[in-house]
């Protein structure tokens, strides 16, 4: 890229602009590696809500630029029932009912750890299941048990070297927090020239 302007202005903006460009380019490049690893499967790579304060919109844009998908921007667009919510409400069904009563129009995702929990969540009416730290064998069993009654998102401990194996289970998504919290930066510099 070429930028032009007064030298003082360019030097003043250089570090901030490069920091953002290097960071977002790193996120996009890392995401592209995941998207390529999932090629030929139905699974898509997702980011998570684990973003840098103040940079969520930019980081999520970088994920899209790299070939990934944004599932949620925050808790306002998808309600999330996690382990503590299940415990506090007295179970998956009770937690789902409370969320649905309070926010009837918001899609609900339930984090599950077992096939039995996955089936309970779907029977309660969950739109999405977050399949937490499951082995490929467990994921295959959930896919067979749930079918197309909910979107299935594998998460937890996923790395590029096992991505294709997890995608082959038939899940719809692999969610990878590392896209936005651990992507290496791309080394980009700015050199001044005359003319």
């Amino acid at each position: 890229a070429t930028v032009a302007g007064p030298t003082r202005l360019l030097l003043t903006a250089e570090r901030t602009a490069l920091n953002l460009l290097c960071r977002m380019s790193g996120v996009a490049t890392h995401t592209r590696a995941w998207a390529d690893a999932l090629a030929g499967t139905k699974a898509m790579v997702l980011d998570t809500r684990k973003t840098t304060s103040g940079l969520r919109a930019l980081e999520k844009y970088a994920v899209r630029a790299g070939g990934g998908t944004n599932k949620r921007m925050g808790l306002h667009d998808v309600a999330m029932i996690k382990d503590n919510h299940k415990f506090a409400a007295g179970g998956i069904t009770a937690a789902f009912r409370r969320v649905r009563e309070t926010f009837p129009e918001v899609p609900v995702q339930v984090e599950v750890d077992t096939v039995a929990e996955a089936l309970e969540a779907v029977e309660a009416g969950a739109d999405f299941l977050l399949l937490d730290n499951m082995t490929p064998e467990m994921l295959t069993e959930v896919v067979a048990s749930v079918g197309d009654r909910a979107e299935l998102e594998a998460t937890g401990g996923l790395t590029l070297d096992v991505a294709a194996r997890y995608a082959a289970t038939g899940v719809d998504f692999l969610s990878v927090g590392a896209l936005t919290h651990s992507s290496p930066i791309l080394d980009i510099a700015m050199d001044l020239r005359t003319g």
Side-chain angles (χ1 to χ4, degrees), residues 25-88:
S25 296
V27 169
T29 301
H30 191 192
T31 303
R32 173 49 53 196
W34 275 89
D36 289 347
L38 301 180
T41 73
K42 79 171 192 171
M44 294 183 284
V45 64
L46 289 178
D47 56 16
T48 68
R49 287 178 289 114
K50 297 172 185 168
T51 55
T52 307
S53 296
L55 297 179
R56 177 170 287 181
L58 288 174
E59 288 177 346
K60 287 193 169 274
Y61 175 79
V63 166
R64 290 192 311 274
T69 302
N70 304 140
K71 180 68 178 244
R72 306 176 286 276
M73 289 304 284
L75 289 175
H76 65 281
D77 51 1
V78 176
M80 182 77 137
I81 297 174
K82 295 183 70 70
D83 288 339
N84 285 336
H85 304 118
K86 292 184 283 189
F87 179 80

Side-chain angles (χ1 to χ4, degrees), residues 5-192:
T7 302
R8 181 185 297 259
L9 181 62
L10 291 174
L11 292 175
T12 301
E14 172 189 16
R15 190 51 39 208
T16 301
L18 283 178
N19 285 344
L20 283 171
L21 184 62
C22 291
R23 171 86 181 113
M24 298 315 145
S25 296
V27 169
T29 301
H30 191 192
T31 303
R32 173 49 53 196
W34 275 89
D36 289 347
L38 301 180
T41 73
K42 79 171 192 171
M44 294 183 284
V45 64
L46 289 178
D47 56 16
T48 68
R49 287 178 289 114
K50 297 172 185 168
T51 55
T52 307
S53 296
L55 297 179
R56 177 170 287 181
L58 288 174
E59 288 177 346
K60 287 193 169 274
Y61 175 79
V63 166
R64 290 192 311 274
T69 302
N70 304 140
K71 180 68 178 244
R72 306 176 286 276
M73 289 304 284
L75 289 175
H76 65 281
D77 51 1
V78 176
M80 182 77 137
I81 297 174
K82 295 183 70 70
D83 288 339
N84 285 336
H85 304 118
K86 292 184 283 189
F87 179 80
I92 290 172
T93 303
F96 181 86
R97 190 177 309 117
R98 290 179 75 175
V99 171
R100 182 53 72 226
E101 288 169 358
T102 307
F103 304 101
E105 301 302 319
V106 176
V108 179
Q109 182 171 48
V110 180
E111 179 183 68
V112 298
D113 302 313
T114 66
V115 176
E117 281 189 342
L119 290 172
E120 181 183 354
V122 168
E123 288 166 11
D127 303 292
F128 312 111
L129 300 183
L130 185 66
L131 311 173
D132 191 35
N133 288 303
M134 291 187 178
T135 64
E137 294 74 25
M138 284 182 71
L139 291 172
T140 300
E141 190 176 346
V142 170
V143 169
S145 300
V146 170
D148 61 358
R149 293 183 286 167
E151 288 188 344
L152 303 176
E153 178 180 337
T155 189
L158 300 174
T159 58
L160 272 171
D161 60 325
V162 297
R165 184 171 173 218
Y166 277 76
T169 65
V171 296
D172 301 296
F173 304 101
L174 300 184
S175 64
V176 182
L179 296 179
T180 53
H181 70 63
S182 297
S183 288
I185 66 163
L186 212 60
D187 188 15
I188 301 171
M190 184 177 90
D191 296 318
L192 290 179

